[in-house]
Structures are given as structure tokens and as C-alpha cells.
Amino acid sequence: MRFLFACGGTAGHVNPAIGVADRIRELLPDSEILFIGALGKMEMELVPREGYEIRGVPVSNLSRSLSVEGLKHNVKFISDLLKSGPACRKIIEEFRPDAVIGTGGYVCYPVLHEAAKLHIPTVVHESNAEPGLTTRQLEKNVDKIMVGFAEARENYKHPEKVVVTGTPVRLGFMRSDKTAARRALGIAEDEPLVVSVWGSLGATEMNKVVARMIALAMDGEEKPFRLVHSAGKRGIESMTRYMSEELGLSGWKEAGFDVVDYIYDMPRLMAAADIVLCRSGASTLAELTAIGKPAILVPSPNVVHNHQEKNARVLEHGGGAVVLLESDAGADVMLSTITSLLEDKEKLAGMEEHMRDLAVENATDEITSIVLGLAAGE
């Protein structure tokens, strides 16, 4: 059987697709799997790293700006729109998939739209309670809409197509082990480890907060914890420059504070961590609950309908996370919150247990089952 995935723009769209593809490959080792992504976007690097072939098509987003740059961008958007449909159709006709799966990003529209016109079974997964623009546009075309939250059903015009599945995660998260992960990474069992990641592309303000937090920690008499911080592909250069030129820091890596552009082995590093600092996108939260990892969540204030804070509050009320709004998450607050949690082993253990209780354990299997059923004509 052949399966075609469309995803892109951010790791939050790519990783759920990888999770389902991994499960299909495990169940059907002889199956053929192909991805389609947007040329120049991060999926063109991330997908091959996971062992899958990906083909790129021209796709861009629509700018709402009325500036000259915004208008120029929209000329490119129209040009890409005219090219992407035929490009996707050509790939689909050559690959001849039994099912097509979209997990988010603008590239999903031309891929699933063309597949539906060819009468190939199509499904789209929406992680957030509030459907994105692409999912709304595809609702009338696809066979099934899989959603991460039960509350999402009411947001669709065709609720009969909607199946509540939870959000899939990569197999590495479902089979994580803290002791084994620390051993593989060379981290002592008793060394406190904090992982900080604010999205695959980075977040300028949170990068600065973490930089100032590192400065405060380096000023102390003892290193409070080891840190691995992902500054994002767009943020690594500006963050390290800010640290060296404006904060006057040097030798932070040697002091145990590692700043990288992207964390490729996230399942293993998250498994090894004591605490994760991050945003609260649905995909990230699914990963945290899958491995039972205590978290300090700072919801992005720049999302539609404030869905990240709503996501985060679910985990906070469930006892697995601490939520700080970005306006309150200063370097001193962040540092004191981390150190107080690390000092309270009993509370951390309780948070781990609560996180696991919040996990939707069968999300990947359920989505895989739906995909396989459609591919088989059921």
C-alpha cells in the first residue's frame, strides 16, 4: 500500500505526520510512504532525517498587510497557488497513493484538494480546538477530519466527518525511558536537566528571557542546573549576539548552558529532562503528556483565539504544568520557578504522574487505524 503525507511550516505540523508514518511503517513494513512539503521550508530537512522521501512544491501564505512588501508577497502567493495544484497532481498521479493524510500547513490544501478530485481517500488532522484556515478550506473535500479535542467538533459545518482522536506523537515519545536517555546522552542520573524550546522557528522575546536567565544563573555561586535551549532556526544568531554583545556573556556552554538552533533528537532529550520550558501548541502538549514530563508553559500571545493559553490551562488544572503568561515570565521569575520545582522532588514526581494521566495514549494507533481503513476501502 502507498501513503502520501502533506505537512509543513512548523515542527508542530511535521511531527504528527512522522508519528503516523512511523506506525504505518511498523505495521506494514512493505508499504511505500512519500511526503510533500513546501519548497524552502523546514519539512524539507526534517522529513529526510526521519528516513522518508519528500518532494517540494511552491507554496506560500497569504499576507494581510497592505504594505508594498505585503503586496509583493501576495503576488508570489498567487503565482505559487497557480503552480502548486498541477505540481501536486503530477506527484499524486505518479505515486498513486491509497490514502492521503494532511497534518497542517498551507501545503495541505493543494495536496488534499487534488487528491480528492482524483477520488483518492483523504483525511486531515487538526491538533487545535479552533480549526486553522487550511482545515476550514478542506472540510468539504476530505473524507475524514480528525481532531485533537472533543470541543472542536462544534466548529465544523460537517460534524459527521469529524472523529476525535487526540494528537499523534512520534514512536520515540511513546517508548521513552529517562534512565536510558540520560545514559545515551552522557548525563549523570543526579544532574538536574532543563530543556527549553519555544517553537521550531524560535521566539525572539523568550530567547531574550532565557538569555537573561542564563546570565542570572551564571552569576550565582553554583550552577543550578544543566540547560539545553533551542533558539530556533531564525533566532540562533540574534540570541547568541544578544548574549555576547548586550549581556557581556561568554563561556555559557562550558558552564552547562547549551544554546542550539534546533533539537533534532527531541524524544530522547525530553525523556532525559527533569523539566521542559515551552509554548503550549497542541502537538507539544501531546508529546509532554506521552512521556509524563513536568513543564513550565508560556503560551504564545500571538495566536488566534488565544488557543495556546486554553491548551496550557488544561495541563495546569490537571496538575502537570505551571503556566506563566509571557508578560509575567521574566528571567528572575523563570529561574526561581525552575529552581523551586527542582528542589521539590515530591512535587515533580506528582507532576509526572499527572502528566501521564492527561495523555491520550491511543491517538497514533487510532489515526493509523482510520487511515488504513480508508486505504482498504472500508
Side-chain angles (χ1 to χ4, degrees):
M1 301 183 85
R2 297 184 179 92
F3 301 92
L4 180 65
F5 287 84
C7 58
T10 68
H13 292 146
V14 176
N15 289 336
I18 296 292
V20 177
D22 283 349
R23 189 65 175 130
I24 290 174
R25 186 167 60 180
E26 188 175 62
L27 293 172
L28 302 174
D30 294 329
S31 62
E32 295 181 42
I33 296 173
L34 177 68
F35 281 70
I36 295 181
L39 287 168
K41 299 299 182 181
M42 66 187 314
E43 58 267 25
M44 302 305 294
E45 178 184 359
L46 295 184
V47 171
R49 280 179 173 268
E50 299 294 332
Y52 296 103
E53 181 185 354
I54 186 168
R55 299 188 193 174
V57 295
V59 178
S60 53
N61 63 317
L62 179 67
S63 173
R64 292 178 173 83
S65 171
L66 297 178
S67 66
V68 173
E69 288 303 314
L71 294 174
K72 286 181 179 178
H73 181 91
N74 285 340
V75 170
K76 183 179 186 303
F77 164 77
I78 294 170
S79 174
D80 287 346
L81 189 64
L82 293 173
K83 296 174 185 175
S84 61
C88 290
R89 188 182 185 96
K90 185 174 186 292
I91 295 170
I92 293 167
E93 289 178 334
E94 290 175 352
F95 184 63
R96 295 179 290 113
D98 295 288
V100 181
I101 307 99
T103 58
Y106 290 103
V107 73
C108 286
Y109 181 78
V111 176
L112 272 72
H113 188 257
E114 292 298 324
K117 288 198 295 184
L118 291 168
H119 305 291
I120 298 169
T122 54
V123 297
V124 63
H125 182 272
E126 176 61 66
S127 297
N128 294 304
E130 186 71 26
L133 177 61
T134 302
T135 306
R136 288 188 185 278
Q137 290 176 322
L138 286 168
E139 181 177 358
K140 64 181 180 295
N141 303 112
V142 298
D143 295 294
K144 293 285 184 184
I145 302 164
M146 302 176 291
V147 298
F149 297 93
E151 297 85 352
R153 190 187 296 274
E154 65 189 34
N155 295 321
Y156 293 90
K157 296 177 182 177
H158 299 280
E160 72 280 1
K161 291 185 177 183
V162 178
V163 182
V164 181
T165 60
T167 295
V169 299
R170 288 168 284 172
L171 294 181
F173 284 102
M174 293 188 286
R175 297 166 186 175
S176 65
D177 178 82
K178 187 174 183 178
T179 301
R182 282 181 167 252
R183 188 182 302 119
L185 294 168
I187 300 171
E189 192 64 33
D190 60 350
E191 181 178 18
L193 174 65
V194 177
V195 172
S196 170
V197 55
W198 305 98
S200 49
L201 300 177
T204 302
E205 186 53 39
M206 292 313 301
N207 278 346
K208 289 184 176 180
V209 170
V210 172
R212 293 192 291 271
M213 182 185 76
I214 290 172
L216 288 176
M218 288 178 70
D219 274 346
E221 294 181 4
E222 296 183 7
K223 182 182 74 174
F225 48 81
R226 181 171 176 174
L227 174 73
V228 178
H229 171 73
S230 174
K233 294 287 189 179
R234 295 176 182 171
I236 182 69
E237 185 178 345
S238 59
M239 179 176 177
T240 53
R241 186 170 59 249
Y242 176 75
M243 293 173 74
S244 59
E245 295 180 4
E246 297 194 39
L247 299 181
L249 296 180
S250 62
W252 54 79
K253 183 172 183 177
E254 292 74 16
F257 303 101
D258 199 5
V259 178
V260 299
D261 63 342
Y262 188 84
I263 298 171
Y264 290 102
D265 194 6
M266 188 65 81
R268 178 175 289 172
L269 194 59
M270 268 198 187
D274 295 290
I275 299 171
V276 174
L277 319 179
C278 58
R279 294 298 197 191
S280 47
S283 180
T284 299
L285 300 192
E287 293 168 351
L288 290 171
T289 57
I291 60 174
K293 192 60 55 179
I296 298 172
L297 304 174
V298 183
S300 171
N302 306 312
V303 295
V304 179
H305 303 297
N306 198 31
H307 71 253
Q308 282 212 3
E309 184 179 350
K310 295 173 185 176
N311 292 346
R313 295 300 180 189
V314 173
L315 270 63
E316 181 184 51
H317 294 154
V322 174
V323 177
L324 298 174
L325 298 183
E326 188 169 297
S327 56
D328 301 325
D332 54 343
V333 173
M334 189 71 74
L335 182 59
S336 64
T337 304
I338 294 168
T339 52
S340 64
L341 286 176
L342 289 173
E343 289 168 0
D344 193 339
K345 302 298 183 185
E346 186 175 339
K347 182 171 183 177
L348 269 185
M351 290 175 72
E352 287 184 15
E353 186 176 336
H354 292 314
M355 273 294 202
R356 289 193 177 92
D357 290 341
L358 291 164
V360 181
E361 295 182 0
N362 63 343
T364 305
D365 283 342
E366 185 167 350
I367 291 168
T368 302
S369 177
I370 290 169
V371 171
L372 295 180
L374 283 171
E378 298 174 3

